[in-house]
Amino acid sequence: METDCTRGEAPVNNAPIGPIGPPAALPAGTRLLHIGPHKTGTTAIQGALFAARDKLPAHGVEFPATTRHPMEAALAACARPAMMGDTVPTEKHWTRLLQQVDATGSRTAVISSEFFADAADDETASRIVRQLGGERVHVLVTLRPIAKIMPSQWQQYVQNGLRMGYEDWLDHMLRKAPYEKPNPSFWRRHRHDRLVERWIRAVGADQITVVVVDDRDRDGLLRTFEALLGLPEKLLQPVPDAANRSLTLAETEMLRKLNMEFRGNGLPDELYSKLIRNGAVMHMKNTCSPAAGDVKISTPDWAVEAASSIGAEMAERIAGMGVRVIGDPALLSAAPERPEPATGDARIAPEVAAHALYGALAAAAAAPVRHTAEAKSRTVHQTSSKELVRVLGHRCLKRLRRR
């Protein structure tokens, strides 16, 4: 299947592509800019680097960030909005990260955020490179098959307020030109050949490394980062992160239905960030592990075939760009293993729903709402549920703003 989103524009040459041995270390003083994109092992890398940040300077390397993931700085650099209801990123976030990078001096610095892949044009990418150090910048792109990325990205979009079901979303992303609704960021991030081209124009092909992630080698990406940074083997270790796990189909559908109720009642975005994404969903992830019988998000055959075709074309085009490729490009067109057929409906367990509800209540309790004269003037039974939800939402928001 071919759609407009599978066609490229730039000419290609016959540069070889294929798996190679461990890469040579980058020159000392390099600014290694890891741009993701999303769902390609970025959280694992950021967690390992942040956990080892006190050990890195002994090997001439710095992780110049005060948090595991400098998301606000990357969003500000790319002039992208924050996630629904989160703090709006400002130029101060980006300026602070640039100062931290500059303070590393002649040592190698690692900057990692998948949101750098959201740089929408050549001018933005070039400015980021220039501000980080120009010729000292080396861009690292990590890639996985589109067919494996799609279910993860859909449920991530649902965690940011999306109300569209998975198959309908796939139909829009793969069949409905110009393939930008409801999430224009998807192909900006995951049309990987165009992503690499955009950064080639900013930094040059010889300053880009593409790593094809092999999910069968759980620590392979960590070992690749160690080689590129000249670090001792196994210095970077996996850091468990339950909050980064994917949602099951039932959990995602519960959240999607909640999104519909949330939007239908016109509640403010700040409440969604506080009570839903960072309250209900976060607590549910941290306290509930998927059970063996939980129904997973399954991509229909037609979409897997379309995604695999796009992946094969992207790998072929990247082959002609003159960038260094680590790993097996054939993996980019690989289809994921089909899950075992579900024996029942996707139903959320009562304890999972309870943990989600508790997470929202705990988040609300962190910003208690005082009773007002308006609230006392009518009893709960005299007020419609829709009005109650709206009033409670706006009162919580006022309290959050005071805090």
Side-chain angles (χ1 to χ4, degrees):
M1 171 184 179
E2 182 179 274
T3 64
D4 288 349
C5 70
T6 70
R7 299 191 184 103
E9 300 98 354
V12 299
N13 58 46
N14 296 318
I17 189 168
I20 62 174
L26 296 167
T30 295
R31 279 36 180 140
L32 181 59
L33 177 62
H34 178 211
I35 67 170
H38 295 66
K39 303 303 176 183
T40 61
T42 53
T43 299
I45 286 297
Q46 291 155 4
L49 286 167
F50 190 67
R53 65 191 183 282
D54 293 334
K55 301 176 182 178
L56 297 178
H59 305 282
V61 179
E62 296 269 3
F63 186 69
T66 54
T67 61
R68 176 190 62 79
H69 178 200
M71 179 175 66
E72 292 84 1
L75 288 170
C78 297
R80 304 302 301 166
M83 295 183 71
M84 179 179 170
D86 282 0
T87 302
V88 177
T90 68
E91 193 64 24
K92 290 182 179 179
H93 291 102
W94 176 232
T95 300
R96 187 179 305 117
L97 181 60
L98 289 175
Q99 291 170 344
Q100 292 168 335
V101 172
D102 188 60
T104 63
S106 60
R107 294 184 294 277
T108 297
V110 190
I111 307 98
S112 175
S113 174
E114 55 269 40
F115 285 98
F116 284 116
D118 283 354
D121 51 51
D122 293 358
E123 181 180 351
T124 300
S126 296
R127 175 177 51 78
I128 291 170
V129 168
R130 184 173 64 255
Q131 291 176 322
L132 282 173
E135 294 181 354
R136 298 176 67 181
V137 175
H138 190 99
V139 174
L140 180 63
V141 187
T142 45
L143 300 181
R144 294 177 70 239
I146 292 292
K148 291 186 177 182
I149 287 173
M150 291 190 112
S152 296
Q153 271 283 220
W154 171 70
Q155 59 91 26
Q156 194 66 54
Y157 283 130
V158 171
Q159 291 181 56
N160 197 36
L162 180 68
R163 291 164 285 172
M164 185 178 288
Y166 186 42
E167 293 208 25
D168 195 12
W169 182 81
L170 288 171
D171 197 47
H172 279 74
M173 292 295 101
L174 293 167
R175 287 174 165 172
K176 295 187 177 181
Y179 319 103
E180 294 179 349
K181 294 180 180 180
N183 301 112
S185 64
F186 182 79
W187 287 117
R188 185 187 308 121
R189 299 167 178 172
H190 296 299
R191 184 68 216 205
H192 297 149
D193 50 350
R194 296 178 187 169
L195 175 68
V196 173
E197 279 181 334
R198 191 155 61 244
W199 287 89
I200 285 176
R201 292 190 288 269
V203 75
D206 59 340
Q207 292 296 98
I208 292 183
T209 296
V210 173
V211 178
V212 180
V213 178
D214 188 344
D215 292 336
R216 298 167 297 184
D217 184 359
R218 299 181 67 87
D219 294 337
L221 189 55
L222 295 177
R223 305 290 82 84
T224 297
F225 265 77
E226 288 169 345
L228 288 169
L229 295 170
L231 298 173
E233 188 174 353
K234 297 187 178 179
L235 178 68
L236 299 180
Q237 292 294 319
V239 178
D241 185 4
N244 190 50
R245 75 164 176 87
S246 293
L247 301 179
T248 65
L249 178 59
E251 290 170 341
T252 310
E253 282 298 307
M254 178 189 72
L255 179 57
R256 188 173 71 86
K257 297 294 186 182
L258 180 57
N259 291 346
M260 296 169 71
E261 290 292 326
F262 190 92
R263 285 298 195 191
N265 282 285
L267 296 176
D269 290 351
E270 291 90 334
L271 279 181
Y272 189 90
S273 173
K274 176 73 176 179
L275 303 184
I276 307 304
R277 185 171 56 250
N278 294 310
V281 176
M282 190 63 68
H283 188 72
M284 181 176 68
K285 283 184 174 184
N286 282 327
T287 55
C288 303
S289 298
D294 286 342
V295 179
K296 298 180 180 179
I297 300 169
S298 180
T299 305
D301 289 341
W302 71 265
V304 171
E305 293 174 5
S308 296
S309 176
I310 295 170
E313 182 182 347
M314 292 192 299
E316 183 179 357
R317 294 196 70 238
I318 292 172
M321 295 179 186
V323 299
R324 174 169 57 172
V325 177
I326 300 172
D328 184 1
L331 293 175
L332 296 179
S333 58
E337 293 184 6
R338 304 294 292 170
E340 293 293 329
T343 57
D345 295 332
R347 295 184 180 276
I348 195 160
E351 59 268 24
V352 175
H355 281 294
L357 178 58
Y358 175 80
L361 292 173
V369 181
R370 296 176 180 174
H371 293 292
T372 62
E374 177 190 357
K376 295 177 180 178
S377 64
R378 287 184 292 170
T379 67
V380 171
H381 298 290
Q382 294 173 320
T383 309
S384 69
S385 59
K386 185 174 182 179
E387 187 175 356
L388 278 173
V389 171
R390 183 179 292 110
V391 170
L392 175 61
H394 284 292
R395 289 178 184 172
C396 286
L397 178 59
K398 288 180 180 179
R399 180 65 181 178
L400 288 173
R401 285 174 174 166
R402 292 193 195 105
R403 289 169 63 87

